[in-house]
Amino acid sequence: MISFPAKGTHVTVRWGILGCGDVVRKRVAAAIQAVDGCELLAACRRDADSLKTFCDEFSVPRGYPSADQLLADEEINAVYIATPVHLHLPQTLAALAAGKHVLVEKPMALTPTECELMINAAKEINRTLGVAYYRPFYPAIERLGQLIQTGQLGKVLAVQIACSAPIVLEEDGSLPWRVKSQEGGGGPVMDVGSHRIDVLLRLFGDVIDIRGICSRKSPDAVENVATFALRFDDGPQASVTCLFDAVHDPDSWTVIGTQGIVDATPLNSGRLVIRTCDGDQVEHHPPHANYNVPLIADFVAAIEEGRPPHVSGEDGLRVNEVIEQIYRDAR
């Protein structure tokens, strides 16, 4: 179990989950159940058999076939939204209107305007709103930030990143929502690229120039290959290639400075190879075995302490603003 000490009054966060897809089954449900002060009270899925299977697997006492029914449950005080991106705005607004705190999957919404509506709604009723970007909690990212801030790499010149996500067909053989533009908002830029954008913004600050190239299998499809370049206010440039369909995820991350290079490939491993004039140094900073546990723990602490979570709605908005400009330039 992991717990973050709270300064405020202790509360039990009783969670309901909207959407029981892969990410929830693999990590989110177990993460909620692993954090002190949390109770996974309910889940929602339209398919009755799938809902029962999920509730049985994770010993969830309440299963609801509709979001409205789950949100009407007065014992639930926080909702994790893990549905397709086009549902994030309406479901977040409905959850907030029902008085719940909301942690929403990434990307936060389809557009920056939608993100702003979600942020304003949370502020109006004084509820906590967070976005499920979990890589800021990686110890390797914290260490990378230290190397950059202390100047051990000299002046950072460039960052090179490549990442991919598989496309798995639904049980009936149909395409998943991630490749449907009306449901997911885009392809790998929205899906896996958003994670990298979030970390880059945290490490290097404001973006002052954005370029994007997107390739599609057909004119009406989302991109399956995208490369974008970001130039930051303090000078560094980042180039990111994100893909659907690649057999292996390169998960590469290389930072190049005037005095050194850090290779954090694969990023999910936590292994850093630091190359300077003094030679190579290998460090290991593995993430939590369940990536979502520190994210959930911080969100609960934010509720207790009356502060914004480490990954706030404003952070989600910044990522969506960059994504929108990438797509605009690519067009």
Side-chain angles (χ1 to χ4, degrees):
M1 304 283 278
I2 182 169
S3 60
F4 284 30
K7 297 178 182 177
T9 303
H10 177 74
V11 296
T12 298
V13 181
R14 296 179 296 275
W15 290 86
I17 298 178
L18 297 182
C20 303
D22 284 347
V23 68
V24 171
R25 293 196 307 271
K26 291 177 180 177
R27 293 196 302 270
V28 175
I32 290 173
Q33 293 175 327
V35 173
D36 285 341
C38 286
E39 179 183 356
L40 180 50
L41 189 62
C44 170
R45 192 165 191 174
R46 288 176 296 179
D47 182 87
D49 291 339
S50 297
L51 177 60
K52 184 179 186 307
T53 299
F54 177 84
C55 289
D56 289 346
E57 180 180 355
F58 291 97
S59 301
V60 179
R62 303 175 192 177
Y64 293 106
S66 77
D68 289 343
Q69 288 175 298
L70 184 145
L71 296 178
D73 188 329
E74 295 183 356
E75 290 192 63
I76 295 170
N77 54 14
V79 176
Y80 193 107
I81 297 177
T83 52
V85 184
H86 75 291
L87 297 175
H88 289 183
L89 172 65
Q91 290 181 341
T92 295
L93 295 182
L96 291 169
K100 322 295 188 188
H101 303 285
V102 176
L103 181 54
V104 62
E105 260 299 333
K106 59 80 203 169
M108 183 176 177
L110 292 175
T111 67
T113 299
E114 290 190 353
C115 297
E116 290 171 349
L117 291 171
M118 295 157 72
I119 292 168
N120 292 336
K123 288 180 178 178
E124 285 177 7
I125 67 164
N126 193 30
R127 290 296 182 272
T128 303
L129 174 64
V131 186
Y133 290 114
Y134 51 75
R135 282 178 176 82
F137 297 96
Y138 281 13
I141 294 298
E142 181 180 0
R143 174 59 173 150
L144 187 55
Q146 292 173 351
L147 293 168
I148 293 168
Q149 292 299 319
T150 57
Q152 294 179 63
L153 306 178
K155 180 176 176 57
V156 175
L157 302 172
V159 184
Q160 297 176 335
I161 297 168
C163 53
S164 178
I167 297 301
V168 180
L169 296 179
E170 301 290 354
E171 293 179 0
D172 61 3
S174 62
L175 291 171
W177 62 262
R178 285 179 175 80
V179 298
K180 300 174 182 177
S181 60
Q182 291 186 339
E183 296 185 29
V189 174
M190 292 284 279
D191 190 43
V192 290
S194 59
H195 273 295
R196 279 71 186 175
I197 294 168
D198 174 66
V199 175
L200 287 167
L201 291 172
R202 292 170 186 277
L203 291 177
F204 300 110
D206 294 332
V207 178
I208 60 173
D209 195 13
I210 296 174
R211 296 287 184 267
I213 301 173
C214 294
S215 299
R216 292 171 171 80
K217 293 180 178 179
S218 63
D220 59 343
V222 299
E223 81 278 3
N224 65 315
V225 180
T227 298
F228 57 89
L230 310 178
R231 182 160 65 94
F232 293 88
D233 188 39
D234 197 34
Q237 296 183 19
S239 61
V240 181
T241 296
C242 43
L243 319 157
F244 279 163
D245 296 334
V247 174
H248 299 290
D249 177 10
D251 195 24
S252 65
W253 189 292
T254 304
V255 179
I256 304 169
T258 57
Q259 301 297 321
I261 295 175
V262 176
D263 184 355
T265 304
L267 183 62
N268 285 342
S269 73
R271 181 176 183 267
L272 302 181
V273 180
I274 306 167
R275 298 188 176 100
T276 66
C277 295
D278 297 326
D280 289 3
Q281 176 181 339
V282 179
E283 298 182 357
H284 296 277
H285 306 279
H288 193 283
N290 183 326
Y291 303 150
N292 287 72
V293 165
L295 172 80
I296 298 292
D298 173 76
F299 188 80
V300 171
I303 294 172
E304 293 180 333
E305 298 171 12
R307 60 164 174 85
H310 187 54
V311 187
S312 66
E314 286 78 8
D315 294 319
L317 168 62
R318 292 175 69 202
V319 175
N320 269 86
E321 288 173 337
V322 172
I323 291 172
E324 184 175 72
Q325 293 182 63
I326 291 169
Y327 283 142
R328 183 182 297 126
D329 188 74
R331 287 194 294 268

